[in-house]
Amino acid sequence: MSVVKSSLSETDLKVVGDALQGALVDLVDLALVAKQVHWNVVGPRFRSVHLQLDEVVDTARLHSDTVAERAAALGVTPDGRAATVSSTSAIGKTPTGWIKDGDAVRILVDALGAVVTRMRERIDATGDPDPVSQDVLIGLTADLEKHAWMFQAESG
């Protein structure tokens, strides 16, 4: 039962709801991964990588709230529970223990790459059924691609 009624058809709502839920999961996991690496990074570039990781966390948290609220506005209940995130995220496992700064950069390059790839698929999927949700996904993907660029430049 949905207490919020969407103006989208059931078919369009399913496509958009799946896209928003997938985006939410990936953003929640990205924030968790970046924070885990942030706490454990070591090496000569510690400070710059440490601070850069917090920027990713802030971006992911900001956009996860926007995505979840967009889903709720359409009558789709957002699910950011740990079990849901761990079973459906695109991001691989994060190592335990101390993480050398170069490895930290590679972890974020990979994580951001996986998330951006899925976000672009969601952008394509939501264009016709809901340009408003597509716009949300476009904006957040631009921010994630900026972080991906900065981490890639860091690894070069």
Side-chain angles (χ1 to χ4, degrees), residues 20-22 24-26 28 68 71 76-85 88:
L20 292 171
Q21 177 58 37
L24 175 62
V25 162
D26 285 348
V28 169
V76 176
T77 56
D79 186 356
R81 296 173 299 158
T84 303
V85 172
T88 58

Side-chain angles (χ1 to χ4, degrees), residues 13 19 32 34 47 92 94 121 141 147:
L13 187 59
L32 292 170
R47 181 159 174 75
T94 305
E121 292 167 1
T141 302
H147 287 299

Side-chain angles (χ1 to χ4, degrees), residues 13-49:
L13 187 59
K14 171 80 170 118
V15 169
V16 173
D18 287 350
L20 292 171
Q21 177 58 37
L24 175 62
V25 162
D26 285 348
L27 290 167
V28 169
D29 200 24
L30 180 61
L32 292 170
V33 167
K35 198 48 125 167
Q36 181 67 25
V37 175
H38 165 91
W39 293 323
N40 291 287
V41 65
V42 294
R45 295 183 297 165
F46 162 80
R47 181 159 174 75
S48 64
V49 172

Side-chain angles (χ1 to χ4, degrees), residues 88-149:
T88 58
S89 173
I91 301 172
K93 296 202 181 286
T94 305
T96 59
W98 301 116
I99 301 171
K100 293 185 183 217
D101 49 12
D103 294 335
V105 169
R106 278 187 289 284
I107 290 166
L108 262 291
V109 166
D110 291 346
L112 286 161
V115 172
V116 165
T117 296
R118 288 184 19 154
M119 290 301 178
R120 288 192 158 273
E121 292 167 1
R122 294 174 184 123
I123 289 168
D124 290 342
T126 55
D128 287 332
D130 186 23
V132 176
S133 293
Q134 183 190 46
D135 189 52
V136 169
L137 296 171
I138 289 169
L140 76 87
T141 302
D143 287 349
L144 295 177
E145 286 179 337
K146 182 176 180 181
H147 287 299
W149 157 57

